[in-house]
Amino acid sequence: MTVTAPLTRTVRWPALRPWLGTAARLGLATVWLVAGATKVGDLAASGRAVNAYQVMPYDLATVIGAALPFVELALGVLLLLGLATRLAAGVSAALLVVFIAGIASAWTRGLAIDCGCFGSGGQLAEGQAPSYLPEILRDLGFLALAGFLLIWPRTPFSVDGWLTGEPAVEDEDE
C-alpha cells in the first residue's frame, strides 16, 4: 500500500507573483490592442467620442480622439512584448484615471453618451441609457492590473527580462 505524504509545500508569493504579473501584462495588453484596433479604422468617430464628453474644445477633442487609438496600440504592443513594462503600466494607469474621471464627469453632468472605450462612442440614441457604473468598475479593474505592473513589472517571457538578464521567477531560497 502506498501512502502519500500530505502536501507540505505551499505556494509562495515570490514564486507566484511573476506569473500573476504575466497574466496582468498580457491581459492589459489585450485590452489596449482591442481598444485601439476598434477605433483606428474610424479616427473621426474616435474624435467625436472624445468630444461627446464636453470637457475640451472640439478641435482639441478631435485631435486627441485621433491620436488615442495609436497610443492604445503602442501600449498594447509594449505590454505584449514586456518592453518598458513599468513605463507602459504607468502610462496605462494615468490614461485609465483620465478615462474613469471622464466617465464619472459625464455621469454627474447627466450626459447620455457611450464611453467610446471599445468603439466609436459618442451620443446615445434617444431612449438608450448609459452604463456608467459598469464602465467605471471595468476600468478600475484595468487600473488594478496596471498598478500591479507598476509595483512588480518583472515577468517571465518579457523583453525587459531578456535585456537585463534577470530571472523573473525568484529563487526559493530568498
Side-chain angles (χ1 to χ4, degrees):
M1 177 165 118
T2 305
V3 176
T4 57
L7 184 61
T8 58
R9 180 183 232 180
T10 60
V11 176
R12 294 184 51 209
W13 175 245
L16 183 60
R17 185 177 63 220
W19 300 106
L20 291 174
T22 300
R25 182 173 58 83
L26 296 178
L28 197 54
T30 302
V31 167
W32 290 129
L33 291 171
V34 170
T38 59
K39 291 183 264 209
V40 77
D42 191 353
L43 299 179
S46 183
R48 286 190 302 275
V50 172
N51 188 59
Y53 285 89
Q54 301 175 13
V55 293
M56 62 188 76
Y58 176 79
D59 291 338
L60 181 58
T62 57
V63 169
I64 289 174
L68 188 58
F70 297 102
V71 171
E72 292 170 337
L73 289 170
L75 288 171
V77 169
L78 287 173
L79 289 166
L80 182 66
L81 296 174
L83 179 61
T85 302
R86 182 169 275 150
L87 174 65
V91 173
S92 295
L95 204 50
L96 287 161
V97 167
V98 169
F99 291 166
I100 292 165
I103 295 167
S105 171
W107 191 4
T108 59
R109 291 181 292 133
L111 300 179
I113 64 172
D114 178 322
C115 74
C117 302
F118 294 96
S120 58
Q123 297 294 327
L124 290 175
E126 190 67 35
Q128 284 187 308
S131 58
Y132 295 131
L133 182 59
E135 291 167 354
I136 290 171
L137 293 175
R138 177 202 59 215
D139 286 354
L140 285 170
F142 298 153
L143 183 57
L145 297 178
F148 187 97
L149 292 171
L150 270 170
I151 297 168
W152 298 293
R154 289 178 42 204
T155 61
F157 311 111
S158 68
V159 173
D160 287 342
W162 177 73
L163 289 173
T164 63
E166 295 177 13
V169 179
E170 299 170 7
D171 288 337
E172 295 198 23
D173 295 333
E174 291 181 14

